[in-house]
Structures are given as C-alpha cells and as structure tokens.
Amino acid sequence: MNARTTRTLAAALSLTAALAISGCSSSTASSGSGSSSNASAGAQAGESAKPKMTVSGGYMPEPVNDKMAGAFMVIKNDSNTADKLVGVTSPLSDDLQVHETKDQKMQQVQSMDVPAAGELKLERGGNHIMFMGLKNKPNVGDKVTVELRFEKADPVKVELDVKERTYNAQNSTAH
Ligand code: CU
C-alpha cells in the first residue's frame, strides 16, 4: 500500500515535470513588422493605461571583435498593463536581435514579455539583446546607445556602459 502510493506519486511528479518542460514552447506567431498587432482580442477600449518602462543597469561586455556583442539590463514595467519588447535599434549596428537562451542555446524571438508591474531581466546566460555585426568595436569605458521598442509603451533610449569582458552585474564586486 505504502509502496504503491509512493510509486503513484513519483509517476505524477514526473508527469508534471514533463508538462512543465513542454509547456514553454513558444508561439512565435505571425506578423513580423510589428506595425499592426492584429489578433489581440482583448485590445478594445481601455487605451488609458499606457505602460511606462524604466531601464537600469544596462551594459555591454567588451566584444571580442566587431562581429557580435551582447547587451544586458533590467526593464521594469511600472504600470498595470503587460507589454512586450518588440525590437531594438542602435547606431552601432543595423541588426539587433532579441535572444532567449534555452538548454544553453540561444535563439531569436520576435518579442519578449514585460509583465505588468514586473520586470524583464536581460542577463548573462539568459535573455539578452544581441548585436549582429558592429560598425566599430567598442572598448571598455565607451557608451553604446540603444533604443528599445515596445508594443505599447513609448520607446526608451538606454546608454549601455561597455564593461570588461568578464563583467557580470550579479557579482559586480569581483575585480
Ligand atoms: Cu544571442
């Protein structure tokens, strides 16, 4: 009796785990150009609460060459309206992408959620912004400007500090 209960519980747990893993499949749906967000059934009326974004801790580890670079920051949504990061531009590159990291591999996504009264963390080993092809290679101490575009909120300009290659906001005390 006892053993059976345990077995059943174990089976239930592994099922839950399987569901959790498969549950993150993305619905990278539709319209690339971000101009018209169709299909949003709940978008009627209430245009009042336009989300407002605050960005902190933006940095770029000094890139190895002019091929690519990553950018990290925390985007905070101070409103009660959920929003999405839908694009990034910068004078430093004509091709900026939003990447997520899954199973240690990164892949491009069309948008990334910024939850209502929550935040989107772009950090090493996780979600990040990626510059594909740089017009010049920045060095430690330089500033790089990016502009974040959102589905609803106004665009936000952010100055990224170019940091040492190994810099990580989490352990910024280490030297
Ligand atoms: Cu990437």
Short mmCIF file of all heavy atoms in Angstrom, two decimals, residues 52-117:
data_model
loop_
_atom_site.label_atom_id
_atom_site.label_comp_id
_atom_site.label_asym_id
_atom_site.label_seq_id
_atom_site.Cartn_x
_atom_site.Cartn_y
_atom_site.Cartn_z
N LYS A 52 4.67 52.24 -18.78
CA LYS A 52 5.86 53.08 -18.73
C LYS A 52 7.02 52.22 -18.29
O LYS A 52 6.93 51.48 -17.32
CB LYS A 52 5.62 54.22 -17.73
CG LYS A 52 6.81 55.08 -17.46
CD LYS A 52 6.61 56.48 -18.02
CE LYS A 52 7.73 57.44 -17.62
NZ LYS A 52 9.07 56.92 -17.84
N MET A 53 8.13 52.31 -19.03
CA MET A 53 9.27 51.44 -18.75
C MET A 53 10.43 52.21 -18.13
O MET A 53 10.72 53.33 -18.53
CB MET A 53 9.76 50.80 -20.05
CG MET A 53 8.71 49.98 -20.75
SD MET A 53 8.18 48.57 -19.76
CE MET A 53 6.79 48.03 -20.76
N THR A 54 11.06 51.58 -17.16
CA THR A 54 12.28 52.13 -16.58
C THR A 54 13.38 51.10 -16.77
O THR A 54 13.19 49.92 -16.45
CB THR A 54 12.10 52.38 -15.07
OG1 THR A 54 10.83 52.95 -14.84
CG2 THR A 54 13.18 53.30 -14.56
N VAL A 55 14.50 51.54 -17.27
CA VAL A 55 15.59 50.62 -17.54
C VAL A 55 16.77 50.93 -16.63
O VAL A 55 17.12 52.10 -16.44
CB VAL A 55 16.03 50.70 -19.02
CG1 VAL A 55 17.20 49.77 -19.29
CG2 VAL A 55 14.85 50.37 -19.92
N SER A 56 17.36 49.90 -16.05
CA SER A 56 18.50 50.12 -15.18
C SER A 56 19.60 49.10 -15.47
O SER A 56 19.35 48.04 -16.03
CB SER A 56 18.07 50.02 -13.71
OG SER A 56 17.55 48.75 -13.45
N GLY A 57 20.80 49.47 -15.08
CA GLY A 57 21.94 48.55 -15.13
C GLY A 57 22.32 48.08 -16.52
O GLY A 57 22.79 46.96 -16.69
N GLY A 58 22.13 48.92 -17.53
CA GLY A 58 22.45 48.48 -18.89
C GLY A 58 23.96 48.42 -19.13
O GLY A 58 24.67 49.36 -18.84
N TYR A 59 24.42 47.31 -19.66
CA TYR A 59 25.84 47.22 -20.01
C TYR A 59 26.07 46.27 -21.17
O TYR A 59 25.22 45.45 -21.50
CB TYR A 59 26.68 46.79 -18.80
CG TYR A 59 26.54 45.34 -18.40
CD1 TYR A 59 27.45 44.38 -18.84
CD2 TYR A 59 25.49 44.94 -17.58
CE1 TYR A 59 27.33 43.05 -18.47
CE2 TYR A 59 25.36 43.61 -17.22
CZ TYR A 59 26.28 42.66 -17.66
OH TYR A 59 26.15 41.36 -17.29
N MET A 60 27.24 46.42 -21.76
CA MET A 60 27.69 45.53 -22.82
C MET A 60 29.09 45.07 -22.46
O MET A 60 29.97 45.91 -22.26
CB MET A 60 27.74 46.28 -24.17
CG MET A 60 28.50 45.53 -25.27
SD MET A 60 28.79 46.54 -26.75
CE MET A 60 27.17 46.48 -27.48
N PRO A 61 29.31 43.77 -22.33
CA PRO A 61 30.68 43.31 -22.13
C PRO A 61 31.49 43.63 -23.38
O PRO A 61 30.98 43.46 -24.49
CB PRO A 61 30.55 41.80 -21.95
CG PRO A 61 29.10 41.55 -21.70
CD PRO A 61 28.35 42.66 -22.38
N GLU A 62 32.71 44.12 -23.20
CA GLU A 62 33.53 44.49 -24.35
C GLU A 62 33.59 43.33 -25.34
O GLU A 62 33.98 42.22 -24.99
CB GLU A 62 34.95 44.82 -23.90
CG GLU A 62 35.80 45.30 -25.04
CD GLU A 62 37.27 45.48 -24.63
OE1 GLU A 62 37.78 44.66 -23.85
OE2 GLU A 62 37.88 46.45 -25.08
N PRO A 63 33.15 43.59 -26.58
CA PRO A 63 33.15 42.49 -27.55
C PRO A 63 34.56 42.08 -27.95
O PRO A 63 35.49 42.89 -27.90
CB PRO A 63 32.37 43.06 -28.73
CG PRO A 63 32.24 44.52 -28.51
CD PRO A 63 32.62 44.84 -27.11
N VAL A 64 34.69 40.82 -28.34
CA VAL A 64 35.99 40.29 -28.76
C VAL A 64 36.39 40.88 -30.11
O VAL A 64 37.55 41.17 -30.36
CB VAL A 64 35.92 38.75 -28.86
CG1 VAL A 64 37.27 38.17 -29.27
CG2 VAL A 64 35.46 38.15 -27.55
N ASN A 65 35.40 41.06 -30.98
CA ASN A 65 35.68 41.62 -32.30
C ASN A 65 34.45 42.41 -32.75
O ASN A 65 33.57 42.67 -31.94
CB ASN A 65 36.02 40.50 -33.30
CG ASN A 65 34.94 39.41 -33.29
OD1 ASN A 65 33.76 39.71 -33.19
ND2 ASN A 65 35.35 38.16 -33.39
N ASP A 66 34.41 42.76 -34.02
CA ASP A 66 33.27 43.56 -34.47
C ASP A 66 32.15 42.71 -35.07
O ASP A 66 31.30 43.22 -35.78
CB ASP A 66 33.75 44.63 -35.47
CG ASP A 66 34.36 44.01 -36.72
OD1 ASP A 66 34.38 42.77 -36.83
OD2 ASP A 66 34.82 44.78 -37.58
N LYS A 67 32.17 41.43 -34.77
CA LYS A 67 31.15 40.54 -35.34
C LYS A 67 29.85 40.57 -34.52
O LYS A 67 28.77 40.59 -35.08
CB LYS A 67 31.66 39.10 -35.38
CG LYS A 67 32.89 38.90 -36.23
CD LYS A 67 32.52 38.68 -37.69
CE LYS A 67 33.69 38.19 -38.50
NZ LYS A 67 34.79 39.20 -38.59
N MET A 68 29.98 40.49 -33.23
CA MET A 68 28.77 40.47 -32.41
C MET A 68 29.04 40.93 -30.99
O MET A 68 30.18 40.93 -30.53
CB MET A 68 28.11 39.09 -32.42
CG MET A 68 28.96 37.98 -31.84
SD MET A 68 28.00 36.46 -31.66
CE MET A 68 27.79 35.97 -33.36
N ALA A 69 27.97 41.32 -30.32
CA ALA A 69 28.08 41.75 -28.94
C ALA A 69 26.73 41.51 -28.26
O ALA A 69 25.69 41.52 -28.90
CB ALA A 69 28.46 43.22 -28.87
N GLY A 70 26.79 41.32 -26.96
CA GLY A 70 25.56 41.13 -26.19
C GLY A 70 25.29 42.35 -25.34
O GLY A 70 26.20 43.12 -25.01
N ALA A 71 24.04 42.54 -24.97
CA ALA A 71 23.69 43.65 -24.08
C ALA A 71 22.71 43.16 -23.03
O ALA A 71 21.84 42.33 -23.31
CB ALA A 71 23.09 44.80 -24.88
N PHE A 72 22.89 43.68 -21.81
CA PHE A 72 22.12 43.21 -20.67
C PHE A 72 21.59 44.40 -19.88
O PHE A 72 22.21 45.45 -19.82
CB PHE A 72 23.00 42.33 -19.78
CG PHE A 72 23.70 41.24 -20.54
CD1 PHE A 72 24.99 41.44 -21.03
CD2 PHE A 72 23.06 40.04 -20.80
CE1 PHE A 72 25.63 40.44 -21.76
CE2 PHE A 72 23.69 39.05 -21.52
CZ PHE A 72 24.98 39.25 -22.00
N MET A 73 20.43 44.21 -19.27
CA MET A 73 19.80 45.28 -18.49
C MET A 73 18.56 44.72 -17.82
O MET A 73 18.17 43.59 -18.05
CB MET A 73 19.41 46.44 -19.42
CG MET A 73 18.32 46.07 -20.40
SD MET A 73 18.16 47.22 -21.77
CE MET A 73 19.64 46.89 -22.72
N VAL A 74 17.97 45.54 -16.98
CA VAL A 74 16.68 45.17 -16.39
C VAL A 74 15.64 46.19 -16.84
O VAL A 74 15.83 47.40 -16.69
CB VAL A 74 16.76 45.16 -14.85
CG1 VAL A 74 15.39 44.83 -14.26
CG2 VAL A 74 17.79 44.13 -14.38
N ILE A 75 14.57 45.71 -17.44
CA ILE A 75 13.49 46.57 -17.92
C ILE A 75 12.31 46.40 -16.97
O ILE A 75 11.78 45.30 -16.82
CB ILE A 75 13.08 46.19 -19.35
CG1 ILE A 75 14.29 46.25 -20.28
CG2 ILE A 75 11.95 47.08 -19.83
CD1 ILE A 75 14.04 45.65 -21.65
N LYS A 76 11.95 47.50 -16.34
CA LYS A 76 10.90 47.44 -15.33
C LYS A 76 9.64 48.10 -15.85
O LYS A 76 9.67 49.21 -16.39
CB LYS A 76 11.40 48.16 -14.07
CG LYS A 76 10.56 47.92 -12.85
CD LYS A 76 11.39 48.22 -11.59
CE LYS A 76 10.51 48.22 -10.36
NZ LYS A 76 9.86 49.52 -10.13
N ASN A 77 8.55 47.40 -15.70
CA ASN A 77 7.25 47.90 -16.12
C ASN A 77 6.53 48.46 -14.89
O ASN A 77 6.12 47.72 -14.01
CB ASN A 77 6.45 46.76 -16.74
CG ASN A 77 5.12 47.21 -17.30
OD1 ASN A 77 4.66 48.32 -17.04
ND2 ASN A 77 4.48 46.34 -18.06
N ASP A 78 6.39 49.78 -14.84
CA ASP A 78 5.80 50.42 -13.67
C ASP A 78 4.28 50.53 -13.75
O ASP A 78 3.67 51.18 -12.92
CB ASP A 78 6.39 51.83 -13.50
CG ASP A 78 7.87 51.77 -13.22
OD1 ASP A 78 8.27 50.92 -12.41
OD2 ASP A 78 8.63 52.57 -13.79
N SER A 79 3.70 49.91 -14.74
CA SER A 79 2.25 50.04 -14.90
C SER A 79 1.56 48.71 -14.64
O SER A 79 2.20 47.69 -14.42
CB SER A 79 1.93 50.47 -16.32
OG SER A 79 2.09 49.37 -17.20
N ASN A 80 0.25 48.74 -14.71
CA ASN A 80 -0.52 47.51 -14.52
C ASN A 80 -0.92 46.90 -15.85
O ASN A 80 -1.82 46.08 -15.93
CB ASN A 80 -1.77 47.79 -13.68
CG ASN A 80 -1.40 48.12 -12.25
OD1 ASN A 80 -0.55 47.47 -11.66
ND2 ASN A 80 -2.03 49.14 -11.70
N THR A 81 -0.25 47.33 -16.90
CA THR A 81 -0.53 46.79 -18.23
C THR A 81 0.66 46.00 -18.73
O THR A 81 1.77 46.52 -18.80
CB THR A 81 -0.82 47.95 -19.21
OG1 THR A 81 -1.83 48.79 -18.67
CG2 THR A 81 -1.25 47.41 -20.56
N ALA A 82 0.43 44.76 -19.07
CA ALA A 82 1.51 43.94 -19.61
C ALA A 82 1.93 44.47 -20.98
O ALA A 82 1.10 44.99 -21.73
CB ALA A 82 1.07 42.49 -19.71
N ASP A 83 3.21 44.33 -21.29
CA ASP A 83 3.71 44.84 -22.56
C ASP A 83 4.72 43.85 -23.11
O ASP A 83 5.01 42.83 -22.49
CB ASP A 83 4.32 46.23 -22.36
CG ASP A 83 4.34 47.06 -23.64
OD1 ASP A 83 4.06 46.50 -24.72
OD2 ASP A 83 4.64 48.25 -23.57
N LYS A 84 5.26 44.20 -24.28
CA LYS A 84 6.25 43.35 -24.90
C LYS A 84 7.37 44.18 -25.47
O LYS A 84 7.11 45.22 -26.09
CB LYS A 84 5.63 42.57 -26.06
CG LYS A 84 4.77 41.44 -25.62
CD LYS A 84 4.10 40.81 -26.83
CE LYS A 84 3.12 39.83 -26.30
NZ LYS A 84 2.65 38.76 -26.90
N LEU A 85 8.59 43.70 -25.31
CA LEU A 85 9.72 44.25 -26.03
C LEU A 85 9.68 43.67 -27.44
O LEU A 85 9.71 42.45 -27.60
CB LEU A 85 11.02 43.86 -25.32
CG LEU A 85 12.33 44.25 -26.00
CD1 LEU A 85 12.50 45.76 -26.03
CD2 LEU A 85 13.52 43.61 -25.31
N VAL A 86 9.56 44.53 -28.44
CA VAL A 86 9.39 44.02 -29.80
C VAL A 86 10.54 44.34 -30.73
O VAL A 86 10.59 43.85 -31.85
CB VAL A 86 8.07 44.54 -30.43
CG1 VAL A 86 6.86 44.02 -29.66
CG2 VAL A 86 8.05 46.05 -30.49
N GLY A 87 11.47 45.17 -30.28
CA GLY A 87 12.59 45.46 -31.16
C GLY A 87 13.59 46.38 -30.50
O GLY A 87 13.29 47.06 -29.52
N VAL A 88 14.81 46.38 -31.05
CA VAL A 88 15.88 47.22 -30.53
C VAL A 88 16.68 47.77 -31.70
O VAL A 88 16.92 47.06 -32.67
CB VAL A 88 16.83 46.40 -29.62
CG1 VAL A 88 17.80 47.32 -28.90
CG2 VAL A 88 16.07 45.56 -28.62
N THR A 89 17.03 49.05 -31.60
CA THR A 89 17.89 49.64 -32.63
C THR A 89 19.08 50.31 -31.96
O THR A 89 19.04 50.63 -30.76
CB THR A 89 17.13 50.69 -33.47
OG1 THR A 89 16.59 51.68 -32.59
CG2 THR A 89 16.00 50.04 -34.25
N SER A 90 20.12 50.54 -32.73
CA SER A 90 21.31 51.19 -32.21
C SER A 90 22.13 51.75 -33.36
O SER A 90 22.16 51.15 -34.44
CB SER A 90 22.17 50.20 -31.42
OG SER A 90 23.43 50.77 -31.12
N PRO A 91 22.79 52.88 -33.14
CA PRO A 91 23.68 53.40 -34.18
C PRO A 91 24.87 52.46 -34.44
O PRO A 91 25.51 52.54 -35.48
CB PRO A 91 24.20 54.72 -33.60
CG PRO A 91 23.28 55.05 -32.47
CD PRO A 91 22.72 53.75 -31.98
N LEU A 92 25.14 51.57 -33.49
CA LEU A 92 26.32 50.71 -33.60
C LEU A 92 26.12 49.53 -34.55
O LEU A 92 27.09 48.92 -35.01
CB LEU A 92 26.69 50.20 -32.21
CG LEU A 92 27.94 49.35 -32.08
CD1 LEU A 92 29.18 50.14 -32.50
CD2 LEU A 92 28.09 48.83 -30.66
N SER A 93 24.87 49.20 -34.85
CA SER A 93 24.61 48.02 -35.68
C SER A 93 23.25 48.14 -36.34
O SER A 93 22.32 48.72 -35.78
CB SER A 93 24.65 46.76 -34.81
OG SER A 93 24.20 45.64 -35.55
N ASP A 94 23.15 47.58 -37.54
CA ASP A 94 21.86 47.61 -38.23
C ASP A 94 21.03 46.37 -37.94
O ASP A 94 19.92 46.23 -38.42
CB ASP A 94 22.09 47.70 -39.75
CG ASP A 94 22.66 49.05 -40.13
OD1 ASP A 94 22.33 50.04 -39.45
OD2 ASP A 94 23.44 49.11 -41.09
N ASP A 95 21.59 45.46 -37.18
CA ASP A 95 20.86 44.22 -36.92
C ASP A 95 20.96 43.85 -35.44
O ASP A 95 21.92 43.24 -35.01
CB ASP A 95 21.42 43.09 -37.81
CG ASP A 95 20.62 41.81 -37.66
OD1 ASP A 95 19.56 41.83 -37.01
OD2 ASP A 95 21.05 40.78 -38.21
N LEU A 96 19.96 44.27 -34.71
CA LEU A 96 19.88 43.89 -33.30
C LEU A 96 18.76 42.88 -33.12
O LEU A 96 17.68 43.05 -33.69
CB LEU A 96 19.61 45.11 -32.42
CG LEU A 96 20.86 45.83 -31.91
CD1 LEU A 96 21.52 46.57 -33.04
CD2 LEU A 96 20.51 46.76 -30.78
N GLN A 97 19.03 41.88 -32.34
CA GLN A 97 18.04 40.82 -32.14
C GLN A 97 17.78 40.61 -30.66
O GLN A 97 18.63 40.90 -29.82
CB GLN A 97 18.55 39.51 -32.75
CG GLN A 97 18.87 39.63 -34.23
CD GLN A 97 19.38 38.32 -34.83
OE1 GLN A 97 19.62 37.35 -34.12
NE2 GLN A 97 19.53 38.32 -36.14
N VAL A 98 16.58 40.14 -30.37
CA VAL A 98 16.26 39.74 -29.00
C VAL A 98 16.41 38.23 -28.93
O VAL A 98 15.81 37.50 -29.73
CB VAL A 98 14.82 40.16 -28.63
CG1 VAL A 98 14.52 39.77 -27.18
CG2 VAL A 98 14.63 41.65 -28.83
N HIS A 99 17.25 37.78 -28.02
CA HIS A 99 17.54 36.35 -27.92
C HIS A 99 17.11 35.81 -26.57
O HIS A 99 17.24 36.48 -25.55
CB HIS A 99 19.05 36.09 -28.06
CG HIS A 99 19.55 36.16 -29.46
ND1 HIS A 99 20.85 35.89 -29.81
CD2 HIS A 99 18.91 36.47 -30.63
CE1 HIS A 99 21.00 36.03 -31.13
NE2 HIS A 99 19.84 36.39 -31.64
N GLU A 100 16.63 34.59 -26.58
CA GLU A 100 16.43 33.88 -25.34
C GLU A 100 17.40 32.71 -25.33
O GLU A 100 17.92 32.31 -26.37
CB GLU A 100 14.99 33.38 -25.22
CG GLU A 100 14.62 32.36 -26.27
CD GLU A 100 13.20 31.85 -26.12
OE1 GLU A 100 12.44 32.43 -25.34
OE2 GLU A 100 12.86 30.87 -26.80
N THR A 101 17.66 32.18 -24.14
CA THR A 101 18.56 31.04 -24.03
C THR A 101 17.78 29.87 -23.49
O THR A 101 17.18 29.94 -22.43
CB THR A 101 19.73 31.37 -23.10
OG1 THR A 101 20.36 32.56 -23.56
CG2 THR A 101 20.74 30.24 -23.10
N LYS A 102 17.80 28.79 -24.25
CA LYS A 102 17.11 27.57 -23.82
C LYS A 102 18.07 26.42 -23.98
O LYS A 102 18.67 26.26 -25.04
CB LYS A 102 15.86 27.33 -24.67
CG LYS A 102 14.68 28.07 -24.11
CD LYS A 102 13.36 27.47 -24.56
CE LYS A 102 12.23 28.27 -23.95
NZ LYS A 102 11.17 28.53 -24.92
N ASP A 103 18.19 25.62 -22.94
CA ASP A 103 19.12 24.49 -22.98
C ASP A 103 20.49 24.95 -23.45
O ASP A 103 21.11 24.31 -24.29
CB ASP A 103 18.58 23.39 -23.92
CG ASP A 103 17.23 22.90 -23.48
OD1 ASP A 103 16.97 22.90 -22.27
OD2 ASP A 103 16.42 22.53 -24.36
N GLN A 104 20.92 26.08 -22.94
CA GLN A 104 22.24 26.63 -23.21
C GLN A 104 22.43 27.08 -24.64
O GLN A 104 23.53 27.42 -25.05
CB GLN A 104 23.35 25.61 -22.87
CG GLN A 104 23.06 24.84 -21.62
CD GLN A 104 24.22 24.82 -20.65
OE1 GLN A 104 25.19 25.55 -20.81
NE2 GLN A 104 24.11 24.00 -19.63
N LYS A 105 21.37 27.07 -25.43
CA LYS A 105 21.48 27.58 -26.79
C LYS A 105 20.62 28.81 -26.93
O LYS A 105 19.52 28.87 -26.40
CB LYS A 105 21.03 26.51 -27.80
CG LYS A 105 22.15 25.55 -28.16
CD LYS A 105 21.67 24.55 -29.19
CE LYS A 105 21.20 23.32 -28.50
NZ LYS A 105 20.65 22.25 -29.18
N MET A 106 21.12 29.79 -27.68
CA MET A 106 20.32 30.98 -27.81
C MET A 106 19.59 31.00 -29.14
O MET A 106 20.06 30.47 -30.13
CB MET A 106 21.17 32.22 -27.64
CG MET A 106 22.28 32.37 -28.62
SD MET A 106 23.25 33.81 -28.21
CE MET A 106 24.34 33.85 -29.62
N GLN A 107 18.43 31.60 -29.11
CA GLN A 107 17.65 31.69 -30.33
C GLN A 107 16.90 33.01 -30.35
O GLN A 107 16.55 33.57 -29.31
CB GLN A 107 16.68 30.52 -30.43
CG GLN A 107 15.71 30.44 -29.27
CD GLN A 107 14.91 29.13 -29.31
OE1 GLN A 107 15.48 28.04 -29.33
NE2 GLN A 107 13.60 29.24 -29.33
N GLN A 108 16.66 33.48 -31.56
CA GLN A 108 15.99 34.76 -31.71
C GLN A 108 14.49 34.62 -31.46
O GLN A 108 13.89 33.62 -31.83
CB GLN A 108 16.22 35.28 -33.14
CG GLN A 108 15.70 36.70 -33.33
CD GLN A 108 15.94 37.20 -34.75
OE1 GLN A 108 16.36 36.45 -35.61
NE2 GLN A 108 15.67 38.46 -34.97
N VAL A 109 13.92 35.62 -30.82
CA VAL A 109 12.46 35.65 -30.65
C VAL A 109 11.95 36.98 -31.19
O VAL A 109 12.68 37.97 -31.26
CB VAL A 109 12.04 35.48 -29.18
CG1 VAL A 109 12.42 34.11 -28.65
CG2 VAL A 109 12.66 36.56 -28.31
N GLN A 110 10.68 37.00 -31.58
CA GLN A 110 10.09 38.21 -32.16
C GLN A 110 9.74 39.23 -31.09
O GLN A 110 9.72 40.42 -31.33
CB GLN A 110 8.83 37.85 -32.96
CG GLN A 110 9.12 37.02 -34.19
CD GLN A 110 10.17 37.65 -35.08
OE1 GLN A 110 10.09 38.82 -35.41
NE2 GLN A 110 11.19 36.88 -35.45
N SER A 111 9.47 38.75 -29.90
CA SER A 111 9.12 39.66 -28.82
C SER A 111 9.36 38.98 -27.48
O SER A 111 9.53 37.76 -27.43
CB SER A 111 7.66 40.09 -28.92
OG SER A 111 6.81 39.00 -28.63
N MET A 112 9.39 39.78 -26.44
CA MET A 112 9.62 39.24 -25.11
C MET A 112 8.72 39.97 -24.12
O MET A 112 8.65 41.19 -24.14
CB MET A 112 11.09 39.43 -24.77
CG MET A 112 11.62 38.41 -23.79
SD MET A 112 13.41 38.37 -23.85
CE MET A 112 13.70 36.94 -24.90
N ASP A 113 8.04 39.21 -23.28
CA ASP A 113 7.07 39.80 -22.36
C ASP A 113 7.72 40.67 -21.29
O ASP A 113 8.74 40.30 -20.73
CB ASP A 113 6.28 38.69 -21.66
CG ASP A 113 5.34 37.97 -22.61
OD1 ASP A 113 5.02 38.56 -23.66
OD2 ASP A 113 4.95 36.84 -22.31
N VAL A 114 7.09 41.80 -21.03
CA VAL A 114 7.43 42.61 -19.86
C VAL A 114 6.16 42.65 -19.01
O VAL A 114 5.24 43.41 -19.29
CB VAL A 114 7.85 44.04 -20.23
CG1 VAL A 114 8.46 44.74 -19.03
CG2 VAL A 114 8.82 44.04 -21.40
N PRO A 115 6.08 41.80 -17.98
CA PRO A 115 4.83 41.64 -17.25
C PRO A 115 4.37 42.93 -16.57
O PRO A 115 5.20 43.78 -16.23
CB PRO A 115 5.14 40.57 -16.21
CG PRO A 115 6.54 40.13 -16.44
CD PRO A 115 7.17 41.00 -17.47
N ALA A 116 3.08 43.03 -16.37
CA ALA A 116 2.52 44.18 -15.64
C ALA A 116 3.12 44.23 -14.25
O ALA A 116 3.26 43.21 -13.58
CB ALA A 116 1.00 44.03 -15.55
N ALA A 117 3.51 45.44 -13.83
CA ALA A 117 4.12 45.63 -12.52
C ALA A 117 5.22 44.61 -12.26
O ALA A 117 5.38 44.09 -11.17
CB ALA A 117 3.07 45.57 -11.42
#
